[in-house]
Amino acid sequence: MCGIFGYVGTRINAGQLVVDGLKNLEYRGYDSWGVACKNEQGDIIVEKDIGKISTVDSRQFSQRCTQALAHTRWATHGGVTKKNAHPHLSTDRTIAVVHNGIIENYQELRDELKNKGHSFLSETDTEIIPHLIEEEMKSTEDFASAVRRACKKFKGRYALLAMHTTSQTLVAARTGSPLIVGVGYEDGPRPERGAERRVEGYFIASDIPAFMAYTRTVQYLDDGEMVVTDGKNVIFTDIENGKERPKREIEITWTVEQAQKGDFEHFMLKEIMEQKESIARAVNQDEEQILTLAEAIRNAKGTFLVACGTAGKACMASEYFFSVIAGHHVNFAPASEFKLYHHFLQPESLLIVVSQSGETADSLEAMKVAKSKGAKVLAIVNVKGSTIDREADYSLRINAGPERAVASTKALTGQLAVLMLIAYAMAGKLKNGKTLLLETSSMINDMLNPRYIERIENLAERIKTKEDLYIIGKSWNFPMALESAIKIQEVSYIHAEGFAGGELKHGPIALIEEGTPCIALMGNDEVTTDILSNTIELKARGAFTIGVAPQRNEAFDEWLKVPDAGHAQALVNIIPIQILSYFLAVKRGKDPDMPRNLAKSVTVK
Ligand code: F6R
């Protein structure tokens, strides 16, 4: 939700640099964009507009400038208009601010500021920030102190980045939304071993891809912290008491190439194809650690899994993994619904939080609830150093590499693989689990060939004009049916719904008309007969049935063959649906990487 990127240092093209870097954060929001550069006279020049930053030619910002900040917006307060786009300015235009998150008490603060003579140009909560800092500067000369005082008045979850005409510093603060500092060394991202390194500038961004071309040395801002940098030095402090907070420098391992589209037209397709390798990377975990975690689940008085959206469907599938493979009961709840489960939590309980980004607000809230009861938290994340990764008691990484498309694909299969591995470890069969998952990964490698993809593309062509699409599954294929619906909805905007096959006759079957496409997900196991019966029931009502299954069956009008992966069937079955969703989007003229109304990394509740 909203991308922030700022730079201060010796580079003289800061404006162009932040605009180019921000293009790598467009997945966080793409309603509108804006940039503020400080020119040689010390004035702040703001440019902003509605639309995508990817369409902006950054060369228009090539004037000499060593301090700049920029923003790409996902609207919360106020519509998508040029006026509402960030940066926002103080009345005297000396302060520019970009912001992610929500200032919950903005109306109250705005009324107070109006009484003091401030007037506002936008409908955003953000605009009160530069005005409040301006007000605070009446009683302090120091820009950073004024920002601190303003921050103390905010309620809500936010990250902000500010600059001032007379200060050489960029000042940023976070409470709930991510901010990361990139340390720009003169010798670039790949230093000579043992060489003495000199800093040329500092980058501050909502996510690492913004500055990955310049540095892979990062420092994380934690909740309740501020950072002040003039490009030569950086100081992290506590917002509340101003005390200095020491920070480590961390080297990140993702490469620039991993975060780029390469030869693919869209990130979504690239990331679907990467599942050839990413599942194997997820499985490659420290076995001792997996065994320790399996033991922790066994000993816990209640294990809860929480996550949102697609990650939630991985958790839901794992309820079946733990039950079938390990004979152990775990409970899944959508993170946004978890609050009221606190009655069941005790210090011996365990919460497993699953998140690609590691920044999802609802998942972080659920973690807080568990921690307040003294329960331990295990995180399964993709992004190393993300808030969930750092705040959990233990963290496992799925190592999928950067996921840039809004629709989650390779992260899902990585999450499923890690959860299944733990279930196998609990059953005392870690090696068997690892073997199965690695075999599955190699079956997926075979499956993702050009002929297979073309077949699915042809199917997309056939059904692209349909208004409704239903997906059924049983056992772990039930959460995959729900996930299929999410994928189809979010990128193609076709109305899609997933059901447990057995539930059809309790209501949803009334929706079926002649030619309604219905997908049945199945494996080769004890529930296959049931789900086949459900498919026949659909066909009898006129549905156009698409079977995703290891074997052909006369119940299918169209068959998408998948390998027989046993307990790992969920991982293979979802892949043709990801490809189908992709082609449905493309054939309907939609951009699958940037679906309407959505953004990756949902840092608001
Ligand atoms: C859908 C999708 C979302 C995310 C959800 C959780 O394709 O990507 O449903 O799965 O917003 O995000 P993370 O995993 O980052 O916590």
Side-chain angles (χ1 to χ4, degrees), residues 307-312 354-360 363 388 403 405-409 411 415 483 486-487 490 598-602:
C308 301
T310 293
V354 180
S355 172
Q356 187 285 127
S357 62
E359 300 292 352
T360 304
S363 303
I388 293 176
E403 195 180 64
V406 166
S408 187
T409 53
Q415 291 156 353
E483 166 58 10
I486 297 186
K487 277 299 86 72
E490 71 180 327
L598 288 170
K600 202 153 184 80
S601 190
V602 186

Side-chain angles (χ1 to χ4, degrees), residues 349-353 366-368 370-371 375-379 388 391-395:
S349 308
L350 178 68
L351 182 74
I352 303 180
V353 185
M367 257 172 99
K368 263 196 200 140
K371 285 194 161 186
K376 288 270 180 287
V377 178
L378 159 66
I388 293 176
E391 291 188 358
D393 297 294
Y394 325 91
S395 188

Side-chain angles (χ1 to χ4, degrees), residues 50 57 86 204 242 267 284-285 355 440 496 498 552:
I50 55 168
D57 183 352
H86 303 202
I204 301 178
F267 279 109
N284 189 14
Q285 299 285 341
S355 172
T440 304
R552 188 190 288 278

Side-chain angles (χ1 to χ4, degrees), residues 459-460 462-472 484-485 488-489 492-499 508-519 538 542-546 580 584 588:
L459 175 63
R462 258 178 99 177
I463 61 173
K464 69 176 187 199
T465 53
K466 297 287 180 187
E467 284 176 4
D468 310 289
L469 209 160
Y470 302 102
I471 311 100
I472 58 166
S484 303
I488 295 165
Q489 291 158 0
S492 76
Y493 316 153
I494 293 176
H495 167 238
E497 281 187 65
F499 299 107
I509 202 154
L511 297 167
I512 307 304
E513 290 173 5
E514 196 58 40
T516 309
C518 292
I519 304 175
L538 287 168
F544 170 64
T545 56
I546 303 157
L580 181 67
L584 284 173
R588 287 164 65 93

Side-chain angles (χ1 to χ4, degrees), residues 378-453:
L378 159 66
I380 298 178
V381 297
N382 189 31
V383 181
K384 178 182 170 189
S386 56
T387 311
I388 293 176
D389 183 47
R390 286 177 295 128
E391 291 188 358
D393 297 294
Y394 325 91
S395 188
L396 284 180
R397 306 196 182 113
I398 60 167
N399 303 320
E403 195 180 64
R404 295 276 304 271
V406 166
S408 187
T409 53
K410 61 177 178 170
L412 169 81
T413 45
Q415 291 156 353
L416 289 168
V418 169
L419 287 162
M420 181 171 282
L421 205 61
I422 303 175
Y424 267 101
M426 278 189 78
K429 295 179 181 165
L430 178 56
K431 290 260 178 297
N432 300 18
K434 206 166 172 177
T435 308
L436 169 70
L437 286 160
L438 289 174
E439 277 169 2
T440 304
S441 154
S442 102
M443 291 192 275
I444 288 171
N445 186 26
D446 295 344
M447 197 171 136
L448 285 171
N449 63 63
R451 267 191 50 210
Y452 192 70
I453 290 166

Side-chain angles (χ1 to χ4, degrees), residues 553-564:
N553 191 283
E554 59 187 23
F556 308 151
D557 293 310
E558 181 79 30
W559 176 41
L560 291 178
K561 187 177 178 192
V562 283
D564 182 351

